Amino acid sequence: MTIPTDTKTEQATFGTGCFWCTEAQFQQLEGVLTVESGYSGGDKPNPTYEEVCTGNTGHAEVVHITYDPSKISFATLLEAFWLSHDPTQLNRQGNDVGTQYRGVIFYHNEEQRKEAEFYKKELQESGSYSSPIVTEITPFKAFYKAENYHQNYYNQNGSQPYCQFVVRPKLEKFKKAFAEKLKK
């Protein structure tokens, strides 16, 4: 997608486990211009998928979102983020285990940090979860785009068993929760 040069954009970077599920969800939201799957949070420049899968790079699988803040707020993206993963699981999401699958918000500015911390605190105090919320909130440093075959994965591979049994149910739940905020 080509973003018009007069469109003011901002970025958000979230880790919620496998980036295939999260990418498919955020692509549905009105105001989200691009969603790229990749890696963030580690020290190794330009890591490969195979390297990240070892759990030794420090990187998490993430989605890097470019959005139009006049159409969708960071608060709405946070709402979608918290719905898209179990924030009580440390270094895992479902069957995906390792630091590369940790729940994490990489904030791009002080306002994002404050909103993320506020939402996390409110969610913890709400009693919605019986276990502590362990999702990290940490400064954004760099994003490394994943290999091309990871991009737009669900849309290009929706008939694959993983997409049918893992991604699709999460996407359907997401669409119900955000019905009023989906692209037309």
Side-chain angles (χ1 to χ4, degrees), residues 167-178:
V167 181
R168 191 180 75 199
K170 288 182 177 186
L171 183 57
E172 293 306 318
K173 176 184 170 188
F174 184 86
K175 284 180 175 180
K176 285 180 185 172
F178 286 89

Side-chain angles (χ1 to χ4, degrees), residues 147-167:
E147 295 80 355
N148 285 337
Y149 71 92
H150 291 296
Q151 307 305 320
N152 204 28
Y153 192 85
Y154 178 76
N155 293 329
Q156 294 178 358
N157 300 283
S159 61
Q160 298 272 343
Y162 182 85
C163 290
Q164 288 293 306
F165 297 111
V166 178
V167 181

Side-chain angles (χ1 to χ4, degrees), residues 14-89:
F14 302 128
T16 63
C18 175
F19 46 39
W20 294 341
C21 296
T22 312
E23 176 191 63
Q25 292 170 350
F26 280 98
Q27 286 175 334
Q28 305 298 313
L29 295 173
E30 184 64 43
V32 170
L33 304 173
T34 63
V35 182
E36 295 177 303
S37 292
Y39 319 108
S40 194
D43 296 322
K44 181 170 184 8
N46 302 306
T48 65
Y49 179 69
E50 289 75 20
E51 290 170 330
V52 172
C53 283
T54 67
N56 296 325
T57 65
H59 287 293
E61 285 192 17
V62 300
V63 291
H64 187 68
I65 300 162
T66 300
Y67 66 99
D68 179 345
S70 73
K71 295 183 178 175
I72 190 167
S73 67
F74 185 68
T76 299
L77 294 174
L78 281 174
E79 183 182 352
F81 164 78
W82 292 108
L83 179 73
S84 66
H85 78 296
D86 180 346
T88 67
Q89 292 190 346

Side-chain angles (χ1 to χ4, degrees), residues 113-125:
R113 183 195 66 78
K114 287 178 182 175
E115 284 188 68
E117 293 283 357
F118 176 79
Y119 204 127
K120 181 178 177 178
K121 181 177 181 272
E122 290 291 309
L123 196 58
Q124 185 67 57
E125 291 175 356

